[in-house]
Each structure stands twice: as structure tokens, then as C-alpha cells.
Amino acid sequence: MRPELISYKIKDFTTSSGVLLNELNLTYEVFGKPLHTAPIVVINHALTGNSDVLSEEKGWWKTIIGENKLIDTNKYTILAFNIPGNAYDDLIIENYKDFSTRDIASLFLEAIDGLKIEKLFAVIGGSLGGGIAWEMAVLKPKLIENLIPVACHWQSSDWIIGFNEVQMQILEFTDKPLEIARMMAMLFYRTPASLESKFNRSQTADGKLFNIESWLRHHGNKLNGRFEVSAYRLMTHLLTTLDITSHHETFEEAVKEIESNIIQVAVDTDWLFVKDETIETKNKMDKLEIKNEYHEIKSIHGHDAFLIEFEQLESFLKPIFK
């Protein structure tokens, strides 16, 4: 059964590109303890994700969120927003260039304010979701007690911007846009070692395909069945716009007011958000005397390790959520 979605109406919102939205429907889900009865943890979803973080059937982070798990629903209120336009709530946004990751963070924060939430125990997100968490912390530097960006960075690199451009070209000029874009992306979410360990040049039972080919086609078809081209285009664009310095001259200027305990988690084999960027960020924050930690997932699985190596992630974050 599809989880219940709650709506929050955003009115008269102006995007960073100057577009006025008279009304926008922001949807979210609440898990665990009712709002205002326990510490609140906000979970930001990644590019093809949504607000369903822990349902038995489709919860994408149910391994670490739930009863007696790392983020224990007996102890915390879990708040998860849908990025507007991800189509999980049937909202379609075609004018994707009107929005930036900063806008999404602003929309989340407006809803948080409207819900009369004055403090967040933690904001955690992987990939695009982690980038939005960074944006939230810069916009509201006193709101978040623990900022936990996972497998992400606070600014999209040239590598990611280039990757996203190829994704956009696939969406624009192929006859199976979602399938092919997803197939290409899956190769970047993993590593050669990861795929070799999984398939080792094995073939399908009928011998017509290598299993890697079958696997890529499966993921392309699967995404096409649950996602929209407009949503994929918007999310890819948002990832390109990620940059907390867009309204500041430097990184140091952007983060100097943040009062959060910042816990960065990188993946040693991540090809997208490479660990060196995260280590450099830690060094900068150390010089600014901002309270922060750096942890590194060791894995052959690349970027997707944050959705695979749950035991390592739990070991890093257990001191926060104990």
C-alpha cells in the first residue's frame, strides 16, 4: 500500500531565477513519533528517490531507519519531503530551469517553519539529498544540530556537470530516454570491480546476452515504469545547480555561521562525488574551527555504496543516534 502523503501549501514563492510561484504543493511523510513529541530527523532523498524511506515494500533506507534500527522510530520523528517535481505525488514540473537546489532547500525550510519546528536533531541525505542538506544548513545555520551529508559535496564539480550534460542529451535525443539515461548512469554509480564481482562475464540462461547487459536493461526498464522523464530532467538539473557559494563569495563565507555538528561520509571508490573533495572540505572546516567529522566507506561498489554498505554507515553514525 502506498504510504500516506501529507500536503503543505507554499504560497508566493520566488525562485532564485526570479520566477514567482503563486502556489506550490509540497508533500511529505512522517514516520516514528508524532511531530513535536521527539527529536526530529529530516531525510532528504536522492535523484530518483522519494519520501518513502521505510515502508516494507519500497522503503529505500529501511535498513537503517525503523524500530530498533540506527534511526529508531521509537525515539525519533522522521520527516521526509518529496522534491517538488519528482512525480511521486503526481506533481509534474516541465519548466525545470526555474529551480535550483537552493530553491528546494528554501521550500523545505519554509514548510519546516510552517510546521512550527524550531530545531532539527539531524538532517541526513545521500547524493543530491546531501547537497540539499548543505544548502539548508547555509540558509538556516542555527536550525540543524547534526548535518550529515553522505556521498555528496556542497558544490557540483566539472565532472558531475559534464556527466549531467550527457544525461540531458540522452533525454533530449533518444527514443528511449529514461531507459538509456539510467543504463548509462548505473555504470557511473558502480565501479569496474563492483560489476566484475557481480557478473564476471557470465551470460543469461539463453546465452543471448551478458548478464551485465541484462542487468542494465532491467534497471532502465524498471525506472521507466516508476519515474517520469520530466522528473529525471529536473533532478539532473538540480544536481548541476548545487553550489552553496552561489550567494556567497567563498566557501568560508557560506559556512562560517553554521552551528551544526557536521558529519561527512564519503565513499573511497566514488566516481561522482570523489572523496578528495570531501577531505578538502574537512580541512577547510578544521581551519575555521567548525565542529566536524570525516568518515569513509570502504567499498568496491562506488557511489552506490551508501545504499549498500549499511553496516559501515551505521558504525559511523551510531554515536549520533545512540
Side-chain angles (χ1 to χ4, degrees):
M1 181 180 294
R2 182 170 174 169
E4 177 187 1
L5 293 176
I6 306 169
S7 295
Y8 184 89
K9 298 292 184 184
I10 305 283
K11 294 188 176 182
D12 299 325
F13 180 84
T14 301
T15 69
S16 54
S17 62
V19 175
L20 174 63
L21 305 176
N22 293 321
E23 184 174 284
L24 186 143
N25 192 42
L26 182 65
T27 59
Y28 64 94
E29 296 180 52
V30 177
F31 305 91
K33 308 293 284 185
L35 277 175
H36 305 295
T37 66
I40 298 170
V41 179
V42 170
I43 311 290
N44 291 341
H45 69 76
L47 194 142
T48 61
N50 52 54
S51 59
D52 182 7
V53 297
L54 60 82
S55 75
E56 185 62 32
E57 183 181 1
K58 295 182 178 180
W60 57 269
W61 238 1
K62 61 187 177 185
T63 307
I64 65 169
I65 304 170
E67 290 190 10
N68 302 315
K69 295 181 180 179
L70 172 66
I71 306 177
D72 192 346
T73 48
N74 293 317
K75 299 178 181 178
Y76 296 100
T77 300
I78 315 300
L79 178 60
F81 292 102
N82 285 297
I83 297 175
N86 74 351
Y88 186 66
D89 52 12
D90 301 322
L91 173 61
I92 302 296
I93 293 177
E94 297 291 353
N95 52 328
Y96 65 93
K97 290 185 179 179
D98 290 347
F99 295 86
S100 69
T101 46
R102 181 183 174 90
D103 294 324
I104 303 306
S106 296
L107 290 167
F108 287 4
L109 290 169
E110 186 164 329
I112 286 167
D113 185 61
L115 293 171
K116 302 188 184 308
I117 298 170
E118 297 181 353
K119 193 72 176 178
L120 296 174
F121 177 75
V123 176
I124 180 172
S127 197
L128 174 60
I132 294 170
W134 268 114
E135 298 275 12
M136 292 172 67
V138 171
L139 288 167
K140 289 281 189 177
K142 301 180 187 301
L143 176 67
I144 303 166
E145 186 173 340
N146 295 287
L147 175 67
I148 311 172
V150 180
C152 71
H153 193 46
W154 50 266
Q155 181 184 63
S156 291
S157 65
D158 290 298
W159 175 254
I160 287 178
I161 293 169
F163 167 79
N164 290 344
E165 171 60 14
V166 176
Q167 291 275 285
M168 289 297 208
Q169 293 294 314
I170 291 172
L171 295 177
E172 184 69 24
F173 295 111
T174 63
D175 58 352
K176 295 182 178 180
L178 266 183
E179 294 98 317
I180 297 174
R182 183 64 165 178
M183 288 170 68
M184 180 258 189
M186 291 301 296
L187 293 174
F188 280 75
Y189 296 156
R190 298 297 180 94
T191 66
S194 175
L195 297 179
E196 183 179 358
S197 70
K198 186 175 182 67
F199 301 113
N200 193 28
R201 290 182 53 84
S202 62
Q203 295 182 327
T204 56
D206 59 11
K208 293 182 178 180
L209 292 172
F210 284 102
N211 276 317
I212 176 60
E213 296 172 316
S214 176
W215 181 77
L216 288 172
R217 293 183 186 188
H218 165 75
H219 278 282
N221 291 330
K222 184 178 178 181
L223 187 70
N224 192 54
R226 71 171 181 86
F227 217 57
E228 299 284 343
V229 172
S230 63
Y232 200 98
R233 186 180 289 115
L234 171 63
M235 300 303 148
T236 301
H237 168 73
L238 291 177
L239 192 56
T240 294
T241 68
L242 174 58
D243 182 7
I244 64 171
T245 68
S246 61
H247 288 66
H248 300 84
E249 292 186 2
T250 63
F251 169 79
E252 288 77 8
E253 183 69 24
V255 303
K256 68 179 183 180
E257 301 296 331
I258 294 179
E259 296 185 1
S260 309
N261 175 33
I262 301 175
I263 303 98
Q264 295 186 104
V265 181
V267 180
D268 65 340
T269 54
D270 195 336
W271 288 17
L272 290 175
F273 292 99
V274 297
K275 69 173 187 177
D276 290 350
E277 297 171 336
T278 308
I279 293 170
E280 182 182 0
T281 298
K282 174 177 175 44
N283 292 336
K284 289 181 177 181
M285 290 191 293
D286 286 345
K287 290 179 180 178
L288 293 170
E289 298 183 346
I290 293 174
K291 187 178 181 183
N292 77 99
E293 301 174 17
Y294 171 82
H295 299 281
E296 190 173 296
I297 294 172
K298 307 291 186 182
S299 175
I300 65 169
H301 296 303
H303 183 67
D304 266 359
F306 83 93
L307 297 170
I308 298 173
E309 307 285 4
F310 295 114
E311 290 185 3
Q312 291 187 60
L313 187 60
E314 185 170 342
S315 70
F316 302 148
L317 302 183
K318 186 175 289 186
I320 303 298
F321 293 102
K322 63 183 178 182

